[in-house]
Amino acid sequence: MYLHRARHLPASSPYRFADARDVPADLALPVFLQVPLEVTDGPEVLSSTALLCAHMQHLPAERCFLPPGATRALRRPFEPEFSVQVARCVTAVIGKVAPVRAAKVPGRNDPCTCGCGKKFKRCCADGGGAATDPT
């Protein structure tokens, strides 16, 4: 994960490594914690994440954050396509959300919803009719 995150760094950067075994733990752990995991990643990923969470409770908080120089170096430049990818992933996980529509309220000159034949403003709008719920 770290090597993928640092792929845009120049070869001369102190935060670029050729092999995953060369990445120090103070850089690998915080980068791993920043990677979003989904249920669809599989049981292996979920079980390793659960084990990591169990061990994290014993770590000091500062071990979970990148050093300041690494944060600046690994910051991903803004790419509009990345935002689109994130939106697609969120939509795939939670599905499309239908807009919330307010219940249609009859206009003052519409027939009353209680069925009496009067205009809404003369019946239920003023609270004097049989039905006060306009739905």
Side-chain angles (χ1 to χ4, degrees), residues 13-16 24 27 30 39 42 44 48 59 63 68-69 71 79 105 115 122 124-125 131:
S13 172
Y15 300 109
R16 177 135 185 182
L27 295 176
V39 176
E44 301 84 20
S48 62
L59 292 175
R63 289 275 319 272
T71 302
E79 300 167 5
V105 178
R122 300 272 182 214
C124 293

Side-chain angles (χ1 to χ4, degrees), residues 4-88:
H4 180 73
R5 178 91 183 266
R7 71 187 182 282
H8 72 280
L9 297 176
S12 61
S13 172
Y15 300 109
R16 177 135 185 182
F17 301 95
D19 190 58
R21 292 179 292 236
D22 298 334
V23 179
D26 65 329
L27 295 176
L29 178 65
V31 168
F32 177 77
L33 295 176
Q34 293 176 7
V35 174
L37 299 173
E38 297 178 10
V39 176
T40 58
D41 288 338
E44 301 84 20
V45 174
L46 291 176
S47 62
S48 62
T49 304
L51 287 172
L52 178 66
C53 290
H55 291 291
M56 280 181 52
Q57 67 182 341
H58 302 293
L59 292 175
E62 55 272 4
R63 289 275 319 272
C64 298
F65 296 95
L66 286 167
T71 302
R72 283 187 290 282
L74 293 173
R75 183 173 294 137
R76 187 177 190 166
F78 175 74
E79 300 167 5
E81 181 58 32
F82 180 69
S83 298
V84 173
Q85 290 173 353
V86 170
R88 284 185 186 136

